[in-house]
Amino acid sequence: MEKKLELSENFDIRDIRKIRDYNAERYATMSPTEIVAETRAGAEKVLRLLKREYISTK
């Protein structure tokens, strides 16, 4: 079971390190192909949000 990533209210360099450590731990057992697929899936979600936000501001 993955532990939940907890970030501070004031996002700072320590939080960036936490994210890097968290991802390194998750990726340790994944193949490069799996890592790329997961990254693309996450990017697709962000792009959808950005497009929806862009369209709503027009």
Side-chain angles (χ1 to χ4, degrees), residues 7-21:
L7 303 175
S8 65
E9 287 184 25
N10 302 322
F11 191 79
D12 60 16
I13 190 70
R14 287 173 286 190
D15 292 314
I16 293 169
R17 288 186 183 121
K18 284 181 190 177
I19 293 168
R20 290 181 67 172
D21 292 343

Side-chain angles (χ1 to χ4, degrees), residues 27-57:
Y27 295 158
T29 60
M30 296 172 79
S31 71
T33 304
E34 291 171 317
I35 295 170
V36 169
E38 183 175 300
T39 302
R40 285 186 177 154
E44 287 173 11
K45 292 177 190 176
V46 172
L47 286 173
R48 279 195 303 273
L49 289 170
L50 290 172
K51 286 178 183 177
R52 184 172 60 199
E53 196 62 35
Y54 175 75
I55 291 169
S56 69
T57 60

